[in-house]
Amino acid sequence: ENIFQKISKLKVLVIGEVIIDEYVFSDALGKSGKDPILVLKEMKSEKYIGGAGSIARNITSFSNNVKLITMLGENSEYKEFIKKKLNKSKVSYIKKNHSPTIVKKRFLDIYSNSKVLGVYQINDDKLDKKNEKELQKLISKSIGNYDLTIVSDYGHGFISENIAKIISKKSNFVALNAQINAANVGLHSLNKYKNIDCIIINEKEL
């Protein structure tokens, strides 16, 4: 059995926030005649699966057994879109109360592809007790059955200290990305995790 056959049998669990990345390509018309703002003409829009969903999707290119545990908004926005994009993965999720499914919209100049503006639909509040218990059950039921757990923590209130302890304690092997972004800088850290086998980190996060 060669290395590629072994990798294809690897059971991988991905835990983290699914993010819908929307890119709005626009033509800059110039300064508004009434306000000190830039006016854009929308030309086209594209949506992609991002966040932990993107990781799960990429892993299915070499592993036949991938599961994603994530959250959607309370109205399950983008559920079918996510299901379609992750059709090779098993997906389990909680519906976060009083929250939308996370959407990160970026406006780009259509000629240079330079990003002009970012607008997020997001609720960064921590999970309430009911949601946290749901998530604990999902993770505890699955995590011991997987060879590798990949945690992508974007700091949007999904993974609490208690959830991090369960992941740290019950995983066979944990790879962690606790990402700093515009919404969580100064508030997010690696400190709630213990006994991590692999950390993916950039200079700013370090």
Side-chain angles (χ1 to χ4, degrees), residues 63-75:
S63 173
N64 300 321
N65 196 332
V66 179
K67 181 173 182 176
L68 170 66
I69 295 179
T70 189
M71 69 178 182
L72 302 181
E74 63 179 352
N75 296 319

Side-chain angles (χ1 to χ4, degrees), residues 25-96:
F25 294 88
S26 307
D27 184 13
L29 298 180
K31 179 185 174 299
S32 167
K34 297 180 180 179
D35 302 291
I37 59 173
L38 177 66
V39 177
L40 305 173
K41 178 182 178 182
E42 183 174 331
M43 306 296 286
K44 65 177 182 176
S45 177
E46 298 175 356
K47 291 185 177 71
Y48 299 92
I49 189 86
S54 178
I55 294 171
R57 188 181 184 191
N58 289 336
I59 293 171
T60 58
S61 65
F62 60 81
S63 173
N64 300 321
N65 196 332
V66 179
K67 181 173 182 176
L68 170 66
I69 295 179
T70 189
M71 69 178 182
L72 302 181
E74 63 179 352
N75 296 319
S76 301
E77 306 95 336
Y78 294 96
K79 176 183 174 181
E80 294 305 317
F81 177 82
I82 292 167
K83 183 178 179 180
K84 181 180 179 181
K85 295 296 183 181
L86 299 179
N87 61 344
K88 294 183 180 180
S89 305
K90 298 175 185 176
V91 181
S92 295
Y93 62 88
I94 62 167
K95 294 191 286 186
K96 186 177 180 181

Side-chain angles (χ1 to χ4, degrees), residues 18-24 45-52 54 78 81 102-106 115 120 154:
V18 163
I19 297 169
I20 306 301
D21 287 321
E22 182 176 1
Y23 296 92
V24 181
S45 177
E46 298 175 356
K47 291 185 177 71
Y48 299 92
I49 189 86
S54 178
Y78 294 96
F81 177 82
I102 299 172
V103 179
K104 295 187 176 182
K105 182 185 292 187
R106 285 95 170 180
K115 294 175 184 176
Y120 294 177
Y154 295 95

